[in-house]
Amino acid sequence: FPRSMLHVRGPRVSPPSNIMDNVIFHGYLSYYQLARLYKSADIVVVPSLYDACPLSALDAMCAGKPLVITKTTGVAEILRNGYDAIIISPKKAELLNALTILASDPSLRKKLSNNILTTVMEYTWDKVALRYLRLFESYVLCDRYHEK
């Protein structure tokens, strides 16, 4: 990806010197700066080895960005591979393959963007709270039934 820029949020690491011209380390970003960065992104990658709910994935979803995420995150459980995200194993070859496909297919990026916005709307605070309320109500009704 010779014309691509990699924006890294978090501590600086030492990438190979042959890609340093294409890497920008941002360190800490305010929420406003982060929102601007997501808005300018073509693809967001969340390559976590383990993270129950990476906020970076949720931010990318809210921004409607094509998302490449590892199946080791909890967020991957609510996504559908090829529909609203590309879900991969945390392996370098799979990440490279996913990025190659997305970089060369603007219609797939558009499809993922549109679909992820639909998905994220199913997880607003109101909808999640209502689901929890229904779940608690079902437990209460179940307990009352078993008490008799």
Side-chain angles (χ1 to χ4, degrees):
F1 308 107
R3 297 182 329 176
S4 299
M5 291 300 297
L6 175 64
H7 294 265
V8 180
R9 178 180 158 221
R12 185 178 176 87
V13 294
S14 297
S17 59
N18 63 332
I19 67 165
M20 279 307 294
D21 291 341
N22 299 69
V23 180
I24 299 172
F25 290 93
H26 293 279
Y28 171 79
L29 295 172
S30 70
Y31 193 75
Y32 174 75
Q33 293 168 317
L34 188 57
R36 285 184 41 212
L37 185 61
Y38 280 117
K39 185 176 181 176
S40 70
D42 292 318
I43 301 167
V44 175
V45 178
V46 181
S48 298
L49 295 176
Y50 175 80
D51 194 346
C53 188
L55 294 179
S56 53
L58 299 176
D59 289 339
M61 292 170 67
C62 290
K65 295 300 174 173
L67 179 63
V68 177
I69 190 166
T70 52
K71 59 175 114 182
T72 53
T73 67
V75 174
E77 293 179 18
I78 66 168
L79 300 171
R80 290 157 288 182
N81 190 33
Y83 175 76
D84 50 14
I86 302 292
I87 303 171
I88 61 169
S89 295
K91 296 178 182 170
K92 208 182 301 185
E94 286 193 37
L95 175 57
L96 181 59
N97 185 48
L99 289 174
T100 301
I101 290 168
L102 283 174
S104 63
D105 192 344
S107 64
L108 178 59
R109 290 195 309 270
K110 183 72 173 159
K111 173 188 150 188
L112 294 175
S113 294
N114 291 337
N115 291 341
I116 207 159
L117 284 171
T118 301
T119 298
V120 80
M121 291 310 296
E122 291 302 312
Y123 294 92
T124 64
W125 284 114
D126 291 343
K127 289 183 179 182
V128 171
L130 187 58
R131 286 187 194 121
Y132 273 109
L133 179 61
R134 289 183 179 147
L135 178 66
F136 293 141
E137 286 173 343
S138 71
Y139 282 122
V140 169
L141 291 174
C142 185
D143 284 347
R144 287 183 183 161
Y145 175 77
H146 290 292
E147 288 177 1
K148 294 180 180 184

